[in-house]
Coordinates of all heavy atoms in Angstrom, one line a residue:
M11 N 20.9 -32.3 115.0 CA 21.1 -31.1 114.2 C 22.1 -30.9 113.4 O 22.1 -30.4 112.2 CB 21.0 -29.9 115.3 CG 19.6 -29.4 115.8 SD 19.6 -28.2 117.1 CE 20.7 -26.9 116.4
Q12 N 23.3 -31.4 113.9 CA 24.5 -31.3 113.0 C 24.4 -32.1 111.8 O 24.8 -31.7 110.7 CB 25.7 -31.7 113.9 CG 26.0 -30.7 114.9 CD 27.2 -31.3 115.8 OE1 27.5 -32.4 115.7 NE2 27.6 -30.4 116.8
S13 N 23.7 -33.3 111.8 CA 23.7 -34.2 110.6 C 22.7 -33.5 109.6 O 23.0 -33.7 108.5 CB 23.3 -35.6 111.0 OG 22.0 -35.6 111.7
A14 N 21.7 -32.8 110.0 CA 20.7 -32.3 109.3 C 21.4 -31.1 108.4 O 21.2 -30.9 107.3 CB 19.5 -31.8 110.0
A15 N 22.2 -30.3 109.2 CA 22.9 -29.2 108.7 C 23.9 -29.7 107.6 O 24.1 -29.1 106.4 CB 23.7 -28.3 109.7
Q16 N 24.6 -30.8 107.9 CA 25.6 -31.3 107.0 C 24.8 -31.8 105.7 O 25.3 -31.7 104.6 CB 26.4 -32.5 107.6 CG 27.4 -31.9 108.6 CD 28.0 -33.2 109.3 OE1 27.4 -34.2 109.4 NE2 29.4 -33.0 109.6
A17 N 23.8 -32.4 105.8 CA 22.9 -33.1 104.7 C 22.4 -31.9 103.9 O 22.5 -31.9 102.7 CB 21.8 -33.9 105.2
Y18 N 21.9 -30.8 104.5 CA 21.4 -29.7 103.9 C 22.4 -29.0 103.0 O 22.3 -28.9 101.7 CB 20.9 -28.7 104.9 CG 20.3 -27.4 104.3 CD1 19.3 -27.3 103.6 CD2 21.1 -26.3 104.5 CE1 18.7 -26.1 103.2 CE2 20.7 -25.1 103.9 CZ 19.4 -24.9 103.3 OH 18.9 -23.8 102.8
F19 N 23.7 -28.6 103.7 CA 24.6 -27.9 102.8 C 25.4 -28.8 101.9 O 25.7 -28.4 100.8 CB 25.6 -27.3 103.8 CG 25.0 -26.1 104.6 CD1 24.9 -26.0 106.0 CD2 24.5 -25.0 103.9 CE1 24.4 -25.1 106.7 CE2 24.0 -23.9 104.5 CZ 24.0 -24.0 106.1
G20 N 25.5 -30.1 102.4 CA 26.2 -31.1 101.4 C 25.3 -31.2 100.2 O 25.9 -31.4 99.0
A21 N 24.1 -31.4 100.3 CA 23.1 -31.6 99.1 C 23.0 -30.3 98.2 O 23.1 -30.5 97.0 CB 21.7 -32.0 99.5
Q22 N 23.1 -29.1 98.9 CA 23.1 -28.0 98.1 C 24.4 -27.9 97.3 O 24.3 -27.6 96.0 CB 23.1 -26.8 99.0 CG 21.7 -26.3 99.3 CD 21.7 -24.9 100.0 OE1 22.7 -24.7 100.8 NE2 20.7 -24.1 100.0
S23 N 25.5 -28.2 97.9 CA 26.9 -28.2 97.2 C 26.9 -29.1 96.0 O 27.3 -28.8 95.0 CB 27.8 -28.4 98.3 OG 29.2 -28.5 97.6
Y24 N 26.4 -30.3 96.3 CA 26.3 -31.3 95.4 C 25.6 -31.0 94.1 O 26.1 -31.2 92.9 CB 25.9 -32.8 95.9 CG 25.9 -33.7 94.9 CD1 26.9 -34.4 94.4 CD2 24.6 -34.2 94.4 CE1 26.9 -35.5 93.4 CE2 24.5 -35.1 93.4 CZ 25.6 -35.8 92.9 OH 25.5 -36.8 91.9
L25 N 24.4 -30.5 94.4 CA 23.4 -30.3 93.2 C 24.1 -29.0 92.5 O 24.1 -29.1 91.2 CB 22.1 -29.8 93.8 CG 21.1 -30.9 94.0 CD1 19.9 -30.5 94.6 CD2 21.0 -31.8 92.7
N26 N 24.7 -28.0 93.1 CA 25.3 -26.9 92.5 C 26.4 -27.3 91.5 O 26.5 -26.8 90.4 CB 25.8 -25.9 93.5 CG 26.2 -24.5 93.0 OD1 25.5 -24.1 92.0 ND2 27.1 -23.8 93.5
Q27 N 27.3 -28.1 91.9 CA 28.4 -28.7 91.3 C 28.0 -29.7 90.2 O 28.6 -29.6 89.1 CB 29.4 -29.4 92.1 CG 30.1 -28.4 93.2 CD 31.1 -29.2 94.2 OE1 31.1 -30.5 94.1 NE2 31.8 -28.5 95.1
S28 N 27.0 -30.5 90.3 CA 26.7 -31.5 89.4 C 26.0 -30.9 88.3 O 25.9 -31.4 87.2 CB 25.8 -32.4 90.1 OG 26.6 -33.2 91.1
T29 N 25.1 -29.9 88.6 CA 24.3 -29.2 87.5 C 24.7 -27.8 87.0 O 23.9 -27.2 86.5 CB 22.8 -29.3 88.0 OG1 22.7 -28.3 89.1 CG2 22.3 -30.6 88.4
N30 N 26.0 -27.4 87.4 CA 26.5 -26.0 87.1 C 25.4 -24.9 87.6 O 25.2 -24.0 86.9 CB 26.8 -26.0 85.7 CG 27.9 -26.8 85.2 OD1 28.8 -27.0 86.1 ND2 27.8 -27.4 84.1
G31 N 24.7 -25.2 88.7 CA 23.8 -24.2 89.3 C 22.6 -24.2 88.7 O 21.7 -23.3 88.9
C32 N 22.2 -25.2 87.8 CA 20.9 -25.2 87.1 C 19.9 -25.7 88.0 O 18.7 -25.6 87.8 CB 20.9 -25.9 85.8 SG 22.1 -25.2 84.6
T33 N 20.1 -26.6 89.0 CA 19.1 -27.2 89.8 C 19.4 -26.6 91.3 O 20.4 -26.7 91.7 CB 19.3 -28.7 89.9 OG1 19.2 -29.2 88.4 CG2 18.3 -29.4 90.7
Q34 N 18.2 -26.3 91.9 CA 18.2 -25.8 93.3 C 17.4 -26.7 94.2 O 16.3 -27.3 93.6 CB 17.7 -24.5 93.3 CG 18.6 -23.5 92.6 CD 19.9 -23.1 93.2 OE1 20.0 -23.2 94.4 NE2 20.9 -23.1 92.3
L35 N 17.7 -26.8 95.4 CA 16.9 -27.5 96.3 C 15.7 -26.8 96.7 O 15.7 -25.5 96.8 CB 17.6 -27.7 97.7 CG 18.6 -28.9 97.7 CD1 19.3 -28.9 99.2 CD2 18.0 -30.2 97.5
D36 N 14.5 -27.5 96.8 CA 13.3 -26.8 97.3 C 13.4 -26.5 98.8 O 14.2 -27.3 99.5 CB 12.1 -27.6 97.1 CG 10.9 -26.9 97.1 OD1 10.9 -25.6 97.3 OD2 9.7 -27.5 97.0
N37 N 12.9 -25.4 99.4 CA 13.1 -25.1 100.7 C 12.0 -25.7 101.5 O 11.6 -25.0 102.5 CB 13.3 -23.6 100.9 CG 12.0 -22.8 100.4 OD1 11.1 -23.3 99.8 ND2 12.1 -21.6 100.9
V38 N 11.5 -26.7 101.3 CA 10.3 -27.3 102.1 C 10.9 -28.7 102.6 O 11.4 -29.5 102.1 CB 9.1 -27.6 101.2 CG1 8.0 -28.2 101.9 CG2 8.7 -26.4 100.5
W39 N 10.7 -28.8 104.0 CA 11.2 -29.9 104.8 C 10.1 -30.6 105.5 O 9.3 -29.9 106.2 CB 12.3 -29.4 105.7 CG 13.6 -29.0 104.9 CD1 13.7 -27.9 104.3 CD2 14.8 -29.6 104.7 NE1 14.9 -27.7 103.8 CE2 15.6 -28.9 104.1 CE3 15.2 -30.8 105.3 CZ2 16.9 -29.2 103.7 CZ3 16.6 -31.2 104.9 CH2 17.3 -30.5 104.1
S40 N 10.4 -31.8 105.8 CA 9.7 -32.6 106.9 C 10.8 -33.2 107.7 O 11.7 -33.8 107.2 CB 8.9 -33.8 106.3 OG 7.8 -33.3 105.7
V41 N 10.7 -33.0 109.1 CA 11.8 -33.3 109.9 C 11.2 -34.5 110.8 O 10.1 -34.4 111.5 CB 12.1 -32.2 110.9 CG1 13.4 -32.6 111.8 CG2 12.6 -31.0 110.1
V42 N 11.9 -35.6 110.9 CA 11.6 -36.8 111.7 C 12.7 -37.2 112.5 O 14.0 -37.2 112.0 CB 11.3 -38.0 110.6 CG1 10.9 -39.2 111.4 CG2 10.1 -37.6 109.7
G43 N 12.4 -37.6 113.8 CA 13.4 -38.0 114.7 C 12.9 -39.2 115.5 O 11.7 -39.1 115.8
S44 N 13.7 -40.2 115.7 CA 13.2 -41.3 116.3 C 14.2 -41.7 117.5 O 15.3 -41.5 117.4 CB 13.1 -42.5 115.5 OG 12.6 -43.6 116.2
S45 N 13.6 -42.1 118.7 CA 14.4 -42.5 119.8 C 15.2 -41.2 120.2 O 14.6 -40.2 120.5 CB 15.3 -43.7 119.4 OG 15.8 -44.2 120.7
D46 N 16.6 -41.3 120.4 CA 17.4 -40.2 120.9 C 17.3 -39.1 119.8 O 17.3 -38.0 120.2 CB 18.7 -40.5 121.0 CG 19.0 -41.4 122.2 OD1 18.2 -41.5 123.1 OD2 20.1 -42.0 122.3
G47 N 17.0 -39.4 118.5 CA 16.9 -38.3 117.5 C 15.6 -37.6 117.7 O 15.4 -36.4 117.3
A48 N 14.7 -38.0 118.4 CA 13.4 -37.3 118.5 C 13.7 -36.0 119.4 O 12.9 -35.0 119.1 CB 12.4 -38.2 119.3
F49 N 14.5 -36.0 120.3 CA 15.0 -34.8 121.1 C 15.5 -33.8 120.2 O 15.3 -32.5 120.6 CB 15.9 -35.2 122.2 CG 15.3 -36.0 123.2 CD1 15.9 -37.4 123.4 CD2 14.6 -35.6 124.2 CE1 15.3 -38.2 124.3 CE2 14.1 -36.4 125.2 CZ 14.4 -37.8 125.3
G50 N 16.0 -34.1 119.2 CA 16.7 -33.0 118.2 C 15.8 -32.6 117.1 O 16.2 -31.7 116.4
S51 N 14.6 -33.2 117.0 CA 13.7 -32.9 115.7 C 13.3 -31.5 115.9 O 13.3 -30.8 114.8 CB 12.7 -34.0 115.6 OG 11.8 -34.0 116.7
I52 N 12.8 -31.1 117.0 CA 12.2 -29.6 117.0 C 13.4 -28.6 116.9 O 13.3 -27.8 116.1 CB 11.4 -29.5 118.2 CG1 10.1 -30.3 118.3 CG2 11.2 -28.0 118.4 CD1 9.3 -30.4 119.5
P53 N 14.5 -28.8 117.5 CA 15.6 -27.7 117.3 C 16.1 -27.8 115.9 O 16.5 -26.8 115.3 CB 16.7 -28.0 118.4 CG 15.9 -29.0 119.4 CD 14.9 -29.6 118.7
T54 N 16.1 -29.0 115.2 CA 16.5 -29.0 113.9 C 15.5 -28.3 113.0 O 16.0 -27.6 112.1 CB 16.7 -30.7 113.3 OG1 17.6 -31.3 114.3 CG2 17.0 -30.7 112.0
A55 N 14.3 -28.6 113.2 CA 13.2 -27.7 112.4 C 13.4 -26.2 112.6 O 13.4 -25.5 111.6 CB 11.9 -28.2 112.9
K56 N 13.8 -25.8 113.8 CA 13.9 -24.4 114.0 C 15.2 -23.9 113.3 O 15.2 -22.8 112.8 CB 14.0 -24.1 115.5 CG 12.7 -24.3 116.2 CD 12.7 -23.8 117.7 CE 11.4 -23.9 118.3 NZ 11.3 -23.5 119.7
A57 N 16.3 -24.7 113.4 CA 17.5 -24.4 112.7 C 17.2 -24.2 111.2 O 17.7 -23.3 110.6 CB 18.7 -25.3 113.0
L58 N 16.5 -25.2 110.5 CA 16.3 -25.2 109.1 C 15.3 -24.0 108.7 O 15.5 -23.3 107.7 CB 15.6 -26.6 108.7 CG 16.4 -27.6 108.6 CD1 15.7 -29.0 108.5 CD2 17.6 -27.6 107.5
Q59 N 14.4 -23.7 109.7 CA 13.5 -22.6 109.5 C 14.3 -21.2 109.5 O 14.1 -20.3 108.7 CB 12.5 -22.6 110.6 CG 11.3 -21.7 110.3 CD 10.2 -22.0 111.4 OE1 10.4 -22.2 112.5 NE2 8.9 -21.8 110.9
A60 N 15.3 -21.2 110.3 CA 16.1 -19.9 110.5 C 17.0 -19.7 109.2 O 17.4 -18.7 109.0 CB 17.2 -20.0 111.6
L61 N 17.2 -20.8 108.4 CA 17.9 -20.7 107.1 C 16.8 -20.5 105.9 O 17.2 -20.8 104.8 CB 18.7 -22.0 106.9 CG 19.7 -22.3 107.8 CD1 20.4 -23.7 107.6 CD2 20.9 -21.3 107.6
D62 N 15.8 -19.9 106.2 CA 14.7 -19.6 105.3 C 14.2 -20.8 104.5 O 13.8 -20.8 103.4 CB 15.2 -18.6 104.2 CG 15.5 -17.3 104.9 OD1 14.8 -16.9 105.9 OD2 16.5 -16.6 104.4
N63 N 13.9 -21.8 105.4 CA 13.2 -23.1 104.8 C 11.8 -23.2 105.4 O 11.6 -22.6 106.6 CB 14.0 -24.3 105.3 CG 15.3 -24.5 104.5 OD1 15.4 -24.6 103.3 ND2 16.4 -24.2 105.2
R64 N 10.9 -23.7 104.7 CA 9.5 -23.9 105.2 C 9.4 -25.3 105.8 O 9.8 -26.4 105.1 CB 8.5 -23.8 104.1 CG 7.1 -23.7 104.5 CD 6.3 -23.2 103.5 NE 6.3 -24.0 102.3 CZ 5.2 -24.8 102.0 NH1 4.3 -25.0 102.6 NH2 5.4 -25.6 100.8
I65 N 8.9 -25.5 107.0 CA 8.9 -26.7 107.7 C 7.3 -27.3 107.6 O 6.6 -26.6 107.9 CB 9.2 -26.6 109.2 CG1 10.5 -26.1 109.4 CG2 9.0 -27.9 109.9 CD1 11.7 -26.9 108.7
L66 N 7.2 -28.3 106.8 CA 5.9 -29.0 106.6 C 5.4 -29.6 107.8 O 4.2 -29.4 108.4 CB 5.9 -29.9 105.5 CG 5.9 -29.5 104.1 CD1 5.9 -30.7 103.2 CD2 4.8 -28.4 103.8
N67 N 6.2 -30.5 108.6 CA 5.8 -31.0 109.7 C 7.1 -31.6 110.5 O 8.1 -31.8 109.9 CB 4.8 -32.2 109.6 CG 5.4 -33.3 108.6 OD1 6.4 -33.6 108.7 ND2 4.4 -33.8 107.7
V68 N 6.9 -31.7 111.8 CA 7.9 -32.3 112.7 C 7.3 -33.5 113.3 O 6.2 -33.2 114.0 CB 8.4 -31.3 113.7 CG1 9.4 -31.8 114.6 CG2 8.9 -29.9 113.0
F69 N 8.0 -34.6 113.3 CA 7.6 -35.8 114.0 C 8.7 -36.3 115.0 O 9.8 -36.4 114.6 CB 7.3 -37.0 113.0 CG 6.9 -38.3 113.5 CD1 5.6 -38.5 114.2 CD2 7.8 -39.2 113.7 CE1 5.2 -39.8 114.8 CE2 7.5 -40.4 114.4 CZ 6.2 -40.7 114.8
A70 N 8.3 -36.5 116.0 CA 9.4 -36.9 117.2 C 8.7 -38.3 117.8 O 7.5 -38.3 118.4 CB 9.4 -36.0 118.2
G71 N 9.3 -39.4 117.5 CA 8.8 -40.7 117.9 C 9.8 -41.5 118.8 O 11.0 -41.0 118.9
A72 N 9.3 -42.4 119.5 CA 10.0 -43.2 120.3 C 9.6 -44.6 120.4 O 8.4 -44.9 120.2 CB 10.0 -42.7 121.8
P73 N 10.4 -45.6 120.7 CA 10.0 -47.1 120.7 C 9.2 -47.4 121.9 O 9.4 -46.5 122.9 CB 11.4 -47.9 120.7 CG 12.3 -46.9 121.2 CD 12.0 -45.5 120.7
Y74 N 8.4 -48.3 122.0 CA 7.8 -48.8 123.2 C 8.7 -49.2 124.4 O 9.7 -49.6 124.0 CB 6.8 -49.9 122.8 CG 5.6 -49.6 122.0 CD1 5.5 -49.9 120.6 CD2 4.5 -49.0 122.6 CE1 4.5 -49.5 119.9 CE2 3.4 -48.8 121.8 CZ 3.4 -49.0 120.6 OH 2.5 -48.7 119.7
L75 N 8.4 -49.0 125.5 CA 9.2 -49.4 126.6 C 9.0 -50.9 126.8 O 10.0 -51.7 127.2 CB 8.7 -48.6 127.8 CG 9.1 -47.2 127.9 CD1 8.6 -46.6 129.3 CD2 10.6 -46.9 127.6
D76 N 8.0 -51.5 126.3 CA 7.7 -52.9 126.6 C 7.4 -53.5 125.2 O 6.6 -53.4 124.6 CB 6.4 -53.1 127.4 CG 6.1 -54.6 127.7 OD1 6.9 -55.5 127.3 OD2 5.2 -54.9 128.6
T77 N 8.5 -54.4 124.8 CA 8.5 -55.0 123.5 C 7.3 -55.9 123.3 O 6.7 -56.0 122.2 CB 9.7 -55.8 123.3 OG1 10.8 -54.9 123.5 CG2 9.9 -56.3 121.9
N78 N 6.8 -56.5 124.4 CA 5.6 -57.4 124.4 C 4.5 -56.6 123.8 O 3.6 -57.1 123.0 CB 5.4 -58.1 125.6 CG 6.4 -59.2 125.9 OD1 6.9 -59.8 125.1 ND2 6.6 -59.4 127.2
I79 N 4.1 -55.4 124.3 CA 3.1 -54.6 123.9 C 3.2 -54.3 122.4 O 2.3 -54.4 121.7 CB 3.0 -53.3 124.8 CG1 2.8 -53.6 126.1 CG2 2.0 -52.3 124.1 CD1 2.8 -52.6 127.1
Q80 N 4.4 -53.9 121.9 CA 4.7 -53.6 120.6 C 4.4 -54.9 119.7 O 3.6 -54.6 118.6 CB 6.0 -53.1 120.4 CG 6.3 -52.6 119.0 CD 7.7 -52.0 118.8 OE1 8.6 -52.3 119.5 NE2 7.9 -51.6 117.6
L81 N 4.8 -56.0 120.0 CA 4.6 -57.2 119.2 C 3.2 -57.5 119.1 O 2.7 -57.9 118.0 CB 5.5 -58.2 119.7 CG 7.1 -58.0 119.5 CD1 7.8 -59.1 120.2 CD2 7.3 -57.9 118.0
R82 N 2.5 -57.4 120.2 CA 1.0 -57.8 120.2 C 0.2 -56.8 119.3 O -0.6 -57.1 118.7 CB 0.4 -57.7 121.7 CG 0.7 -58.9 122.5 CD -0.3 -59.0 123.6 NE -0.3 -57.8 124.5 CZ 0.4 -57.5 125.6 NH1 1.2 -58.4 126.0 NH2 0.2 -56.4 126.2
F83 N 0.8 -55.5 119.3 CA 0.1 -54.4 118.4 C 0.3 -54.8 116.9 O -0.5 -54.8 116.0 CB 0.6 -53.2 118.8 CG 0.1 -52.0 117.9 CD1 -1.2 -51.6 118.0 CD2 0.8 -51.5 116.9 CE1 -1.6 -50.6 117.2 CE2 0.4 -50.5 115.9 CZ -0.9 -50.0 116.2
V84 N 1.6 -55.1 116.7 CA 2.0 -55.4 115.3 C 1.3 -56.7 114.8 O 0.9 -56.7 113.6 CB 3.5 -55.6 115.2 CG1 4.1 -56.1 113.8 CG2 4.2 -54.3 115.5
F85 N 1.3 -57.7 115.6 CA 0.8 -59.0 115.1 C -0.7 -59.2 115.5 O -1.3 -60.2 115.1 CB 1.6 -60.0 115.6 CG 3.0 -60.1 115.1 CD1 4.1 -59.8 115.8 CD2 3.2 -60.5 113.8 CE1 5.4 -59.9 115.4 CE2 4.4 -60.4 113.2 CZ 5.6 -60.1 114.0
G86 N -1.4 -58.2 116.1 CA -2.8 -58.4 116.5 C -3.2 -59.4 117.5 O -4.3 -59.8 117.4
K87 N -2.3 -59.9 118.4 CA -2.7 -60.8 119.4 C -3.0 -60.2 120.5 O -2.4 -59.3 121.0 CB -1.5 -61.8 119.4 CG -1.1 -62.6 118.2 CD -0.1 -63.7 118.5 CE 0.1 -64.4 117.1 NZ 0.7 -65.7 117.3
K88 N -4.0 -60.8 121.2 CA -4.5 -60.3 122.5 C -4.4 -61.3 123.6 O -4.5 -62.7 123.3 CB -6.0 -59.8 122.5 CG -6.1 -58.7 121.5 CD -7.6 -58.3 121.4 CE -7.8 -57.2 120.5 NZ -9.2 -56.8 120.3
K89 N -4.1 -61.0 124.8 CA -4.2 -62.0 125.9 C -5.5 -62.1 126.3 O -6.3 -61.2 126.4 CB -3.2 -61.5 127.0 CG -1.9 -61.5 126.9 CD -1.2 -61.0 128.0 CE 0.3 -61.0 128.0 NZ 1.1 -60.6 129.2
N90 N -5.8 -63.3 127.0 CA -7.1 -63.6 127.5 C -7.1 -63.2 128.9 O -6.0 -62.7 129.4 CB -7.7 -65.0 127.3 CG -6.8 -66.0 128.0 OD1 -6.1 -65.6 129.0 ND2 -6.8 -67.3 127.6
R91 N -8.1 -63.2 129.7 CA -8.1 -62.7 131.1 C -7.1 -63.4 132.0 O -6.8 -63.0 132.9 CB -9.5 -62.7 131.5 CG -10.3 -64.0 131.8 CD -11.5 -63.8 132.2 NE -12.3 -65.1 132.3 CZ -12.3 -65.7 133.5 NH1 -12.0 -65.3 134.6 NH2 -12.9 -66.9 133.5
L92 N -6.7 -64.7 131.7 CA -5.8 -65.4 132.5 C -4.3 -65.2 132.1 O -3.4 -65.7 132.6 CB -6.0 -66.9 132.4 CG -7.5 -67.3 132.9 CD1 -7.6 -68.8 132.6 CD2 -7.6 -67.0 134.3
G93 N -4.1 -64.3 131.0 CA -2.8 -64.0 130.5 C -2.2 -65.0 129.4 O -1.2 -64.8 129.0
A94 N -3.0 -66.1 129.2 CA -2.4 -67.0 128.2 C -3.0 -66.5 126.7 O -3.9 -65.7 126.7 CB -3.0 -68.4 128.3
R95 N -2.3 -67.0 125.8 CA -2.7 -66.7 124.4 C -3.4 -67.6 123.7 O -3.3 -68.8 123.8 CB -1.4 -66.3 123.5 CG -0.7 -65.0 124.1 CD 0.4 -64.6 123.1 NE 0.9 -63.4 123.8 CZ 1.9 -62.7 123.4 NH1 2.5 -63.2 122.3 NH2 2.3 -61.6 123.9

């Protein structure tokens, strides 16, 4: 949440200074969190919403617990019934 707030206010400040106030951030956000950041994605979205922003979507993801399953999914390989490839 803290990094999202820093990015939000930092980007606002940068645009304001760089364009002499002529460019404003749109108040529409998509919030994405992965692994440990997934736990903070919903509170971050709520915090941004409290600052009068519109939230399009919130995504919270996590890696697979078993890397072998992930790699089989990525590369499309299946085990036969004996476990060999």
Side-chain angles (χ1 to χ4, degrees):
M11 277 176 42
Q12 291 173 348
S13 63
Q16 287 178 331
Y18 175 77
F19 291 117
Q22 271 188 333
S23 175
Y24 175 79
L25 280 175
N26 192 30
Q27 291 174 2
S28 299
T29 64
N30 293 324
C32 293
T33 303
Q34 299 291 321
L35 282 178
D36 196 4
N37 65 342
V38 179
W39 292 75
S40 292
V41 180
V42 177
S44 181
S45 196
D46 287 344
F49 291 106
S51 60
I52 293 174
T54 299
K56 288 184 177 185
L58 288 168
Q59 198 171 32
L61 294 169
D62 294 327
N63 291 288
R64 187 166 62 106
I65 306 300
L66 290 179
N67 57 36
V68 178
F69 176 78
Y74 289 98
L75 294 175
D76 185 353
T77 306
N78 289 326
I79 292 172
Q80 182 180 12
L81 292 175
R82 278 199 311 264
F83 176 78
V84 170
F85 295 109
K87 296 188 178 193
K88 298 179 183 177
K89 287 185 178 180
N90 66 20
R91 63 185 179 98
L92 299 174
R95 292 187 178 179

